[in-house]
Amino acid sequence: MTDLDYPRPMLVRPQWQDLTGPWGFATDAEDQGVSRGWHQDAAPFARTITVPFPPESELSGIHEPDCPDVVWYRREVALGRVPGPGERLLLHFGAVDHRARVWVNGVRAGDHEGGHTPFTLDITETLAPAREQVIVVRAEDDRDDTSQPRGKQDWQTEPHGIWYHRTTGIWQPVWAEVVPDVHLRAVHWTPDVPGAAVTFEVELSRVPASPVEVRVKLTLDDEALAVQTFRTERRLDRWTISLPAARHQMELSRLLWSPERPTLLDAVVEVRDGDGDRVVDAARSYVGLRSVGIKDGRFLLNGQPRYLRLVLAQNYWPGSHLAAPSAEALRREVELAKELGFDGVRIHQKIEDPRFLAWCDRLGLFVWDEMPSAYEYSNRMVERVTREWLELVERDRSHPSVITWVVFNESWGVWHGLDVEAQRSVTRALYHLTKSLDPDRPVISNDGWEHTESDIWGLHDYAPTGQPFRERYADRDGIDRILGDRPPARRTALLGDPVYRGQPVMLTEIGGTSLRPRQDEAWHGYATVDSAEALKERVRDIVDAVLDSPEVAGLCWTQLTDTEQETNGLLTAERVPKIPFEEVRRILRRPARSVPAEAIDAARREARE
């Protein structure tokens, strides 16, 4: 297995045990399992489910679309390695939707709430003398709880509109590993391109009994760029690692990360004893050296204006729903977006598997990270969204491909922000909270409309042809009218009086055109055409109009794939292109007027070709 098979690619240990595959399964419609002691009884688990596929999906082997809210899992695990003296056994869950409770050998090991983010349990004290251990998981996913972040998961039995079948329970990998008592719990990297340095943060499992050394080695291929050793007696610590090779301006480009050249610096992190003689723990990681920002209405990558060509990606598969059907499918999703000519994806209403982000890092694809929405404003919703959002930012902030944070989408969960100050306050608060954790990336408070405080003003405009785009976005006066009192949707673009700080205007949902469906086919789209050729011309018409605007700084096409009844993908649900890849690529590669340097780049590219 490679580092990209490991479920946490940003912190990889070579020895780990994959716990996906067949588990015992039971549904608990009356929620009686706890009182009846199912965590200590094998009898209820008469069915078998394939983890990590949700029970609603075909690949799970259960395929029960109307699954009860409470489900249980059970597995007897023969440990690949038993922890010895001074070692711990960690049990990791990539994601369990929505509330999880875990027992090991009948002992309650821990709980987690939040259906899209990972959690880890130290189960050392629950282990039985026998090599085989029993793991039981209870998961609860209440379809009627509208304060629960659920994204595009339908609350109705049958999918309708733009919502899809639910994903209940375990839907990302489960794995175990033996670690030293004092071990690396997390590492984080923050590049400083102008300063030719990287900020390195480390979290240890606990405060060491005596000072330890943390040694970091950064390399590019066989070239050692930095080797530094730090001494600490703290659980959390942070240092600056200088990169002398990045000081040479004319050589800097070979070190920088971009979609065209996704250079990554390999990192080895070791924890050594206080004398530096013995390695206590070691892991592999990587760093992408790049900067992102905004200025004068443009997005900046490595200090230069960059026009973003994104595609809306639901990352949903017919046979496995939110769970990827395989690790290879995650890589293929990245490749498909790039083959179509996009340089990024806006992952829509989903927190994606970290292995997907790792492929975006390796292959070169921007990512907009977006929080799955709830559908009701309440104190409970605010608490849940905030907690899970903080876990997402903590998990993903070291990935160079992640360039933007999107907290809310189209006012879902904050529908009355125009009239209710509390709802405006939460979008502003989460914007500022995110900036306090990650001041370097742009943050969007509410993509589509009703921005309170945002670094990018993303607008959703589903005009069916190119002409309305040419009329609305032809000049700065047109943009000001849209931001003022002529929004493309029926919602105000800006709430309050946000200060202009150079925020780019981007059309972050456009298109959405479907091939005309059969008369008996359930479908959803924003416009239809009758043939693949007509679809190609519609894409060209709209994209050409947007690229011709001297003010729009980026676009996001809806969407990458057909998803259940939402049939407006450039690819079918089976990932078959409706238009040849090269045709879409040719349309997207036209220079954008808002970034004049693209015309020069295109001329150079044509000369090379």
Side-chain angles (χ1 to χ4, degrees):
M1 290 188 177
T2 69
D3 286 2
L4 291 169
D5 295 312
Y6 188 84
R8 187 189 55 208
M10 196 54 73
L11 183 65
V12 177
R13 292 186 181 88
Q15 301 298 322
W16 60 287
Q17 184 170 359
D18 186 359
L19 298 181
T20 59
W23 288 57
F25 182 75
T27 59
D28 190 5
E30 298 179 356
D31 194 13
Q32 298 293 312
V34 174
S35 61
R36 293 176 179 173
W38 286 10
H39 58 288
Q40 296 177 313
D41 185 1
F45 298 91
R47 304 165 75 183
T48 300
I49 188 170
T50 301
V51 168
F53 306 122
E56 293 89 350
S57 72
E58 183 178 357
L59 287 183
S60 71
I62 300 297
H63 201 196
E64 193 171 319
D66 193 20
C67 187
D69 292 347
V70 180
V71 297
W72 290 69
Y73 302 78
R74 184 181 188 276
R75 178 164 176 174
E76 296 180 9
V77 176
L79 293 178
R81 182 182 162 205
V82 177
E87 293 183 322
R88 315 297 295 178
L89 180 64
L90 304 182
L91 178 62
H92 303 280
F93 292 86
V96 181
D97 199 359
H98 173 73
R99 284 182 293 276
R101 180 172 297 175
V102 181
W103 294 265
V104 178
N105 299 319
V107 178
R108 186 167 168 178
D111 299 60
H112 181 262
E113 180 173 341
H116 312 90
T117 50
F119 63 99
T120 297
L121 303 173
D122 184 337
I123 62 171
T124 311
E125 307 305 328
T126 68
L127 298 180
R131 194 176 188 85
E132 198 161 84
Q133 316 294 322
V134 178
I135 302 172
V136 175
V137 180
R138 175 191 181 275
E140 182 177 359
D141 186 15
D142 184 354
R143 77 176 70 190
D144 296 322
D145 186 349
T146 52
S147 69
Q148 173 182 311
R150 63 192 322 116
K152 299 289 287 285
Q153 297 184 60
D154 210 322
W155 58 96
Q156 298 184 14
T157 301
E158 291 296 325
H160 75 291
I162 59 171
W163 287 275
Y164 316 139
H165 278 111
R166 294 163 59 216
T167 288
T168 295
I170 300 172
W171 67 278
Q172 287 190 27
V174 184
W175 80 103
E177 61 183 350
V178 175
V179 295
D181 183 30
V182 176
H183 59 270
L184 294 162
R185 181 170 288 172
V187 297
H188 294 291
W189 311 93
T190 304
D192 177 6
V193 174
V198 174
T199 298
F200 169 60
E201 299 170 63
V202 65
E203 178 184 355
L204 301 178
S205 55
R206 65 173 179 82
V207 176
S210 58
V212 296
E213 290 188 354
V214 178
R215 183 179 186 269
V216 182
K217 183 177 183 179
L218 299 180
T219 59
L220 177 60
D221 298 325
D222 295 326
E223 178 186 0
L225 299 176
V227 181
Q228 290 188 232
T229 300
F230 310 97
R231 190 172 179 85
T232 186
E233 51 187 351
R234 304 174 62 184
R235 189 173 69 85
L236 299 168
D237 219 329
R238 178 177 59 194
W239 304 279
T240 298
I241 300 175
S242 179
L243 296 172
R247 297 174 190 156
H248 192 315
Q249 181 181 350
M250 299 306 171
E251 292 286 335
L252 179 59
S253 61
R254 73 183 180 92
L255 301 178
L256 294 180
W257 185 96
S258 70
E260 294 73 31
R261 191 172 180 174
T263 301
L264 296 175
L265 313 183
D266 292 318
V268 175
V269 182
E270 295 177 343
V271 179
R272 296 171 175 249
D273 62 18
D275 296 327
D277 298 329
R278 182 174 62 88
V279 176
V280 177
D281 190 24
R284 293 189 297 272
S285 186
Y286 61 86
V287 185
L289 193 64
R290 63 102 184 94
S291 66
V292 294
I294 60 166
K295 184 180 180 182
D296 299 331
R298 303 295 177 263
F299 180 87
L300 302 181
L301 174 68
N302 297 325
Q304 303 296 316
R306 172 85 186 209
Y307 194 95
L308 298 184
R309 293 165 170 84
L310 311 177
V311 65
L312 195 74
Q314 312 285 356
N315 284 24
Y316 185 101
W317 289 266
S320 55
H321 300 185
L322 289 182
S326 66
E328 177 56 33
L330 293 168
R331 174 176 183 161
R332 186 59 185 149
E333 208 77 346
V334 177
E335 293 172 337
L336 289 168
K338 287 185 68 72
E339 287 173 21
L340 285 166
F342 295 101
D343 62 8
V345 289
R346 177 180 163 214
I347 299 299
H348 192 40
Q349 291 297 293
K350 178 186 182 185
I351 297 175
E352 189 48 280
D353 189 310
R355 294 171 297 174
F356 175 85
L357 298 182
W359 282 117
C360 292
D361 295 337
R362 295 281 177 189
L363 300 179
L365 192 69
F366 292 133
V367 176
W368 283 23
D369 251 358
E370 180 177 315
M371 179 66 198
S373 296
Y375 305 144
E376 167 196 347
Y377 183 82
S378 65
N379 290 349
R380 181 69 166 146
M381 182 278 281
V382 172
E383 176 191 348
R384 284 171 157 175
V385 168
T386 301
R387 180 174 60 247
E388 200 161 355
W389 179 249
L390 293 178
E391 292 178 352
L392 165 64
V393 173
E394 178 71 8
R395 192 197 76 171
D396 291 354
R397 63 188 174 96
S398 293
H399 288 279
S401 59
V402 175
I403 61 168
T404 303
W405 304 112
V406 181
V407 187
F408 288 96
N409 169 72
E410 291 187 345
S411 300
W412 293 2
V414 287
W415 194 248
H416 301 287
L418 180 63
D419 304 309
V420 179
E421 172 60 28
Q423 296 189 19
R424 295 194 296 274
S425 293
V426 73
T427 61
R428 285 193 297 262
L430 285 174
Y431 166 87
H432 287 293
L433 181 59
T434 307
K435 295 297 282 190
S436 73
L437 299 172
D438 182 10
D440 299 320
R441 286 181 178 88
V443 178
I444 296 176
S445 60
N446 181 39
D447 194 64
W449 51 66
E450 295 185 342
H451 292 266
T452 50
E453 189 66 64
S454 289
D455 296 320
I456 295 171
W457 287 336
L459 303 174
H460 297 177
D461 190 336
Y462 281 111
T465 65
Q467 187 56 36
F469 292 98
R470 297 187 185 278
E471 295 170 356
R472 294 170 188 162
Y473 306 96
D475 51 32
R476 190 67 217 182
D477 288 343
I479 296 288
D480 289 341
R481 284 192 295 272
I482 287 170
L483 296 177
D485 60 0
R486 295 292 186 273
R490 291 186 174 91
R491 312 286 290 196
T492 302
L494 305 178
L495 292 183
D497 190 18
V499 175
Y500 178 68
R501 296 176 283 98
Q503 290 96 325
V505 171
M506 297 188 188
L507 294 174
T508 48
E509 287 189 27
I510 60 172
T513 306
S514 299
L515 285 172
R516 192 174 300 279
R518 301 186 308 269
Q519 286 190 346
D520 62 342
E521 182 182 6
W523 73 283
H524 179 91
Y526 297 92
T528 60
V529 292
D530 293 319
S531 67
E533 181 64 23
L535 178 60
K536 181 184 75 173
E537 291 308 313
R538 183 66 58 87
V539 174
R540 185 194 309 279
D541 182 36
I542 294 174
V543 171
D544 276 355
V546 175
L547 291 174
D548 281 343
S549 168
E551 299 296 334
V552 172
L555 62 83
C556 182
W557 184 269
T558 302
Q559 60 186 348
L560 182 60
T561 71
D562 289 349
T563 308
E564 296 205 332
Q565 71 280 1
E566 198 171 8
T567 57
N568 49 21
L570 293 170
L571 310 173
T572 68
E574 292 72 33
R575 278 51 179 176
V576 177
K578 300 177 184 179
I579 309 170
F581 287 107
E582 61 272 14
E583 295 290 343
V584 180
R585 235 180 4 254
R586 190 174 296 116
I587 293 168
L588 288 167
R589 287 176 73 176
R590 262 203 55 214
R593 282 189 65 197
S594 63
V595 181
E598 285 202 344
I600 300 172
D601 296 337
R604 289 175 175 170
R605 187 169 59 241
E606 289 175 8
R608 288 194 300 267
E609 293 174 352

